[in-house]
Amino acid sequence: MKKFITTLLSIIMIMAMVSCGGSGADSSSDKSTEEDTTKIEKNIDATAEALGLTAGDETYYQLIGAKAGKQYNDGAIELYQFDENSDEYKEIESTKTVANTNVSAYKDGIVMLFVGTEEDQNIIDKFNKLEYK
């Protein structure tokens, strides 16, 4: 009877150790860290895709000195790509505006504006976490 109880307790302890092992939790945290640090191409299409934006229609981006520009989500969000060393981009960095419109976020030459709608902080946070190649 003692051998049976000892064996049963040993099996229970082994199962508890296996189920509490840290390998499962570590792999999921490694996966989320990998997703956070995934680098994307530095352009507005890749940025829009990473943010889950839809239907990119070109804008008159040349008028503001951008290299590219599109509006997404039925015109609610606009993304522009600037040369980081351009005077236009430096002005955006200092004034936080472009064409008299407040800039919602910018980094590495990519600028995001919310037009005629309230800013979505979740999208801004995702944008700020993006890393470019």
Side-chain angles (χ1 to χ4, degrees):
M1 185 69 165
K2 285 183 180 180
K3 286 183 181 182
F4 175 74
I5 293 175
T6 304
T7 304
L8 182 62
L9 288 174
S10 297
I11 291 171
I12 292 172
M13 287 177 51
I14 290 171
M15 289 174 61
M17 292 166 99
V18 168
S19 66
C20 292
S23 64
D26 289 342
S27 66
S28 67
S29 66
D30 287 347
K31 192 175 195 176
S32 67
T33 302
E34 182 181 310
E35 288 175 9
D36 289 344
T37 59
T38 301
K39 293 186 176 188
I40 63 171
E41 291 294 325
K42 186 173 154 184
N43 62 57
I44 57 176
D45 289 328
T47 301
E49 183 178 338
L51 297 175
L53 305 180
T54 58
D57 298 319
E58 281 201 6
T59 63
Y60 295 107
Y61 59 87
Q62 303 92 340
L63 296 176
I64 59 171
K67 296 187 331 184
K70 290 186 179 179
Q71 59 182 0
Y72 298 90
N73 294 13
D74 295 323
I77 299 172
E78 293 181 1
L79 293 176
Y80 295 97
Q81 183 173 2
F82 289 85
D83 177 356
E84 290 179 68
N85 298 316
S86 70
D87 291 337
E88 292 85 0
Y89 188 70
K90 289 177 182 175
E91 185 174 334
I92 290 167
E93 290 178 312
S94 66
T95 65
K96 312 292 188 267
T97 62
V98 63
N100 297 321
T101 303
N102 289 335
V103 171
S104 302
Y106 63 91
K107 71 184 304 182
D108 301 329
I110 306 291
V111 176
M112 180 172 59
L113 310 169
F114 282 83
V115 180
T117 186
E118 194 171 314
E119 291 183 348
D120 185 334
Q121 191 60 45
N122 290 329
I123 294 175
I124 293 170
D125 291 342
K126 283 173 75 174
F127 177 85
N128 289 328
K129 290 179 183 177
L130 293 176
E131 291 187 29
Y132 297 105
K133 294 181 185 178

